[in-house]
Short mmCIF file of all heavy atoms in Angstrom, two decimals:
data_model
loop_
_atom_site.label_atom_id
_atom_site.label_comp_id
_atom_site.label_asym_id
_atom_site.label_seq_id
_atom_site.Cartn_x
_atom_site.Cartn_y
_atom_site.Cartn_z
N GLN A 1 -106.07 -55.96 252.63
CA GLN A 1 -107.13 -55.01 252.33
C GLN A 1 -107.98 -54.72 253.56
O GLN A 1 -108.31 -53.56 253.84
CB GLN A 1 -108.01 -55.55 251.21
CG GLN A 1 -109.09 -54.56 250.75
CD GLN A 1 -109.81 -55.04 249.52
OE1 GLN A 1 -110.34 -56.15 249.50
NE2 GLN A 1 -109.84 -54.22 248.49
N LEU A 2 -108.35 -55.76 254.32
CA LEU A 2 -109.20 -55.56 255.49
C LEU A 2 -108.52 -54.69 256.54
O LEU A 2 -109.14 -53.80 257.14
CB LEU A 2 -109.57 -56.92 256.10
CG LEU A 2 -110.57 -57.76 255.30
CD1 LEU A 2 -110.56 -59.21 255.79
CD2 LEU A 2 -111.97 -57.16 255.41
N VAL A 3 -107.23 -54.94 256.78
CA VAL A 3 -106.49 -54.13 257.75
C VAL A 3 -106.12 -52.79 257.15
O VAL A 3 -106.21 -51.75 257.81
CB VAL A 3 -105.23 -54.90 258.21
CG1 VAL A 3 -104.36 -54.02 259.10
CG2 VAL A 3 -105.63 -56.17 258.96
N GLY A 4 -105.73 -52.80 255.88
CA GLY A 4 -105.31 -51.56 255.23
C GLY A 4 -106.43 -50.54 255.12
O GLY A 4 -106.18 -49.33 255.21
N ASN A 5 -107.66 -51.01 254.94
CA ASN A 5 -108.79 -50.09 254.88
C ASN A 5 -109.04 -49.38 256.20
O ASN A 5 -109.79 -48.40 256.25
CB ASN A 5 -110.06 -50.83 254.46
CG ASN A 5 -110.07 -51.20 252.99
OD1 ASN A 5 -109.30 -50.64 252.20
ND2 ASN A 5 -110.93 -52.13 252.61
N ARG A 6 -108.41 -49.87 257.25
CA ARG A 6 -108.54 -49.26 258.58
C ARG A 6 -107.23 -48.62 259.04
O ARG A 6 -107.04 -48.34 260.20
CB ARG A 6 -109.00 -50.32 259.59
CG ARG A 6 -110.43 -50.78 259.34
CD ARG A 6 -110.73 -52.13 259.96
NE ARG A 6 -112.12 -52.50 259.72
CZ ARG A 6 -112.58 -53.01 258.58
NH1 ARG A 6 -111.75 -53.26 257.59
NH2 ARG A 6 -113.86 -53.28 258.44
N GLY A 7 -106.32 -48.38 258.09
CA GLY A 7 -105.10 -47.65 258.39
C GLY A 7 -103.92 -48.48 258.82
O GLY A 7 -102.88 -47.93 259.19
N GLY A 8 -104.04 -49.82 258.77
CA GLY A 8 -102.96 -50.68 259.22
C GLY A 8 -102.16 -51.27 258.07
O GLY A 8 -102.51 -51.12 256.90
N TYR A 9 -101.08 -51.95 258.42
CA TYR A 9 -100.24 -52.67 257.47
C TYR A 9 -100.19 -54.14 257.88
O TYR A 9 -100.09 -54.45 259.08
CB TYR A 9 -98.80 -52.15 257.51
CG TYR A 9 -98.51 -50.89 256.71
CD1 TYR A 9 -99.49 -50.24 255.97
CD2 TYR A 9 -97.22 -50.36 256.70
CE1 TYR A 9 -99.20 -49.09 255.25
CE2 TYR A 9 -96.92 -49.21 255.97
CZ TYR A 9 -97.91 -48.58 255.25
OH TYR A 9 -97.61 -47.45 254.54
N VAL A 10 -100.19 -55.03 256.89
CA VAL A 10 -99.98 -56.47 257.14
C VAL A 10 -98.77 -56.93 256.35
O VAL A 10 -98.61 -56.56 255.18
CB VAL A 10 -101.21 -57.30 256.73
CG1 VAL A 10 -100.94 -58.79 256.94
CG2 VAL A 10 -102.44 -56.89 257.53
N PHE A 11 -97.92 -57.74 256.98
CA PHE A 11 -96.74 -58.29 256.32
C PHE A 11 -96.85 -59.82 256.37
O PHE A 11 -97.17 -60.40 257.39
CB PHE A 11 -95.48 -57.81 257.03
CG PHE A 11 -95.38 -56.31 257.08
CD1 PHE A 11 -95.73 -55.62 258.23
CD2 PHE A 11 -94.95 -55.59 255.98
CE1 PHE A 11 -95.65 -54.24 258.29
CE2 PHE A 11 -94.87 -54.20 256.02
CZ PHE A 11 -95.22 -53.51 257.17
N PHE A 12 -96.51 -60.48 255.23
CA PHE A 12 -96.82 -61.90 255.09
C PHE A 12 -95.90 -62.82 255.86
O PHE A 12 -96.27 -63.95 256.17
CB PHE A 12 -96.85 -62.30 253.62
CG PHE A 12 -95.64 -61.92 252.81
CD1 PHE A 12 -94.47 -62.67 252.89
CD2 PHE A 12 -95.67 -60.82 251.97
CE1 PHE A 12 -93.36 -62.32 252.13
CE2 PHE A 12 -94.57 -60.47 251.20
CZ PHE A 12 -93.40 -61.23 251.28
N THR A 13 -94.69 -62.43 256.18
CA THR A 13 -93.67 -63.27 256.84
C THR A 13 -93.70 -64.69 256.28
O THR A 13 -93.29 -64.92 255.16
CB THR A 13 -93.80 -63.25 258.38
OG1 THR A 13 -95.04 -63.80 258.81
CG2 THR A 13 -93.67 -61.82 258.90
N ARG A 14 -94.24 -65.66 257.06
CA ARG A 14 -94.24 -67.06 256.60
C ARG A 14 -95.59 -67.48 256.02
O ARG A 14 -95.84 -68.66 255.80
CB ARG A 14 -93.84 -67.99 257.75
CG ARG A 14 -92.45 -67.75 258.27
CD ARG A 14 -92.02 -68.81 259.25
NE ARG A 14 -92.80 -68.79 260.48
CZ ARG A 14 -93.42 -69.85 261.01
NH1 ARG A 14 -93.38 -71.02 260.40
NH2 ARG A 14 -94.09 -69.73 262.14
N PHE A 15 -96.50 -66.56 255.83
CA PHE A 15 -97.85 -66.78 255.31
C PHE A 15 -98.76 -67.49 256.31
O PHE A 15 -99.90 -67.03 256.51
CB PHE A 15 -97.83 -67.53 253.97
CG PHE A 15 -97.44 -66.66 252.81
CD1 PHE A 15 -96.21 -66.81 252.19
CD2 PHE A 15 -98.28 -65.67 252.35
CE1 PHE A 15 -95.84 -66.02 251.12
CE2 PHE A 15 -97.92 -64.86 251.28
CZ PHE A 15 -96.69 -65.03 250.67
N ASP A 16 -98.33 -68.61 256.91
CA ASP A 16 -99.19 -69.20 257.94
C ASP A 16 -99.14 -68.36 259.22
O ASP A 16 -100.03 -68.46 260.07
CB ASP A 16 -98.80 -70.65 258.24
CG ASP A 16 -97.35 -70.83 258.67
OD1 ASP A 16 -96.55 -69.89 258.48
OD2 ASP A 16 -97.03 -71.90 259.20
N ASN A 17 -98.12 -67.53 259.34
CA ASN A 17 -98.04 -66.50 260.37
C ASN A 17 -97.81 -65.16 259.68
O ASN A 17 -96.90 -65.04 258.85
CB ASN A 17 -96.88 -66.77 261.33
CG ASN A 17 -97.14 -67.90 262.28
OD1 ASN A 17 -97.43 -67.70 263.45
ND2 ASN A 17 -97.04 -69.13 261.78
N MET A 18 -98.62 -64.17 260.01
CA MET A 18 -98.48 -62.84 259.46
C MET A 18 -98.44 -61.83 260.60
O MET A 18 -98.97 -62.09 261.69
CB MET A 18 -99.61 -62.52 258.48
CG MET A 18 -99.51 -63.30 257.18
SD MET A 18 -100.94 -63.12 256.10
CE MET A 18 -101.79 -64.65 256.43
N ILE A 19 -97.81 -60.71 260.35
CA ILE A 19 -97.64 -59.68 261.38
C ILE A 19 -98.23 -58.38 260.87
O ILE A 19 -97.95 -57.97 259.73
CB ILE A 19 -96.16 -59.50 261.74
CG1 ILE A 19 -95.61 -60.79 262.34
CG2 ILE A 19 -95.98 -58.34 262.72
CD1 ILE A 19 -94.09 -60.81 262.47
N ALA A 20 -99.04 -57.75 261.69
CA ALA A 20 -99.71 -56.51 261.29
C ALA A 20 -99.41 -55.40 262.29
O ALA A 20 -99.31 -55.65 263.50
CB ALA A 20 -101.22 -56.73 261.19
N VAL A 21 -99.28 -54.19 261.77
CA VAL A 21 -99.24 -52.98 262.61
C VAL A 21 -100.65 -52.41 262.58
O VAL A 21 -101.13 -51.99 261.52
CB VAL A 21 -98.22 -51.96 262.08
CG1 VAL A 21 -98.17 -50.74 262.98
CG2 VAL A 21 -96.84 -52.60 261.97
N THR A 22 -101.33 -52.42 263.72
CA THR A 22 -102.78 -52.20 263.74
C THR A 22 -103.21 -51.02 264.59
O THR A 22 -104.35 -50.99 265.08
CB THR A 22 -103.51 -53.48 264.21
OG1 THR A 22 -102.99 -53.88 265.49
CG2 THR A 22 -103.33 -54.61 263.21
N ASN A 23 -102.36 -50.04 264.78
CA ASN A 23 -102.78 -48.83 265.49
C ASN A 23 -104.02 -48.26 264.80
O ASN A 23 -104.05 -48.12 263.58
CB ASN A 23 -101.67 -47.79 265.49
CG ASN A 23 -100.49 -48.21 266.32
OD1 ASN A 23 -99.78 -49.14 265.97
ND2 ASN A 23 -100.27 -47.52 267.44
N GLY A 24 -105.04 -47.96 265.60
CA GLY A 24 -106.29 -47.45 265.05
C GLY A 24 -107.38 -48.50 264.94
O GLY A 24 -108.55 -48.16 264.77
N LEU A 25 -107.01 -49.78 265.01
CA LEU A 25 -108.00 -50.84 264.99
C LEU A 25 -108.32 -51.27 266.41
O LEU A 25 -107.41 -51.53 267.21
CB LEU A 25 -107.49 -52.07 264.21
CG LEU A 25 -107.56 -52.00 262.67
CD1 LEU A 25 -106.49 -51.06 262.12
CD2 LEU A 25 -107.42 -53.40 262.07
N ASP A 26 -109.61 -51.36 266.74
CA ASP A 26 -110.00 -51.79 268.08
C ASP A 26 -110.40 -53.27 268.05
O ASP A 26 -110.27 -53.95 267.03
CB ASP A 26 -111.12 -50.91 268.64
CG ASP A 26 -112.39 -50.94 267.79
OD1 ASP A 26 -112.55 -51.86 266.97
OD2 ASP A 26 -113.22 -50.02 267.96
N GLU A 27 -110.90 -53.75 269.18
CA GLU A 27 -111.22 -55.17 269.28
C GLU A 27 -112.32 -55.57 268.31
O GLU A 27 -112.28 -56.65 267.72
CB GLU A 27 -111.63 -55.52 270.71
CG GLU A 27 -111.84 -57.02 270.93
CD GLU A 27 -112.10 -57.38 272.39
OE1 GLU A 27 -111.88 -56.51 273.26
OE2 GLU A 27 -112.51 -58.52 272.65
N SER A 28 -113.31 -54.70 268.13
CA SER A 28 -114.40 -55.02 267.21
C SER A 28 -113.91 -55.11 265.77
O SER A 28 -114.40 -55.94 264.99
CB SER A 28 -115.53 -53.99 267.33
OG SER A 28 -115.08 -52.71 266.93
N ASP A 29 -112.94 -54.28 265.40
CA ASP A 29 -112.34 -54.38 264.06
C ASP A 29 -111.66 -55.73 263.88
O ASP A 29 -111.81 -56.38 262.83
CB ASP A 29 -111.31 -53.27 263.85
CG ASP A 29 -111.93 -51.89 263.77
OD1 ASP A 29 -112.98 -51.75 263.11
OD2 ASP A 29 -111.36 -50.96 264.36
N HIS A 30 -110.92 -56.14 264.89
CA HIS A 30 -110.24 -57.44 264.81
C HIS A 30 -111.26 -58.58 264.71
O HIS A 30 -111.07 -59.52 263.92
CB HIS A 30 -109.36 -57.65 266.04
CG HIS A 30 -108.06 -56.91 265.98
ND1 HIS A 30 -107.95 -55.57 266.28
CD2 HIS A 30 -106.80 -57.32 265.68
CE1 HIS A 30 -106.69 -55.19 266.16
NE2 HIS A 30 -105.97 -56.23 265.79
N ALA A 31 -112.34 -58.50 265.47
CA ALA A 31 -113.35 -59.55 265.45
C ALA A 31 -114.03 -59.62 264.08
O ALA A 31 -114.32 -60.71 263.57
CB ALA A 31 -114.38 -59.31 266.55
N MET A 32 -114.29 -58.46 263.48
CA MET A 32 -114.92 -58.43 262.16
C MET A 32 -114.01 -59.05 261.11
O MET A 32 -114.46 -59.81 260.25
CB MET A 32 -115.28 -56.99 261.79
CG MET A 32 -116.09 -56.85 260.49
SD MET A 32 -115.12 -57.03 258.97
CE MET A 32 -114.02 -55.62 259.16
N ILE A 33 -112.72 -58.71 261.17
CA ILE A 33 -111.75 -59.27 260.24
C ILE A 33 -111.69 -60.79 260.40
O ILE A 33 -111.69 -61.54 259.41
CB ILE A 33 -110.37 -58.63 260.45
CG1 ILE A 33 -110.40 -57.16 260.01
CG2 ILE A 33 -109.28 -59.41 259.73
CD1 ILE A 33 -109.17 -56.37 260.42
#
């Protein structure tokens, strides 16, 4: 939800490691998440 609300996708892979496509998110977005 946090990444998706900013136009990105998150994939769960192994859950302790997840992979996101985050085009459109800047450093401040990542820090807030």
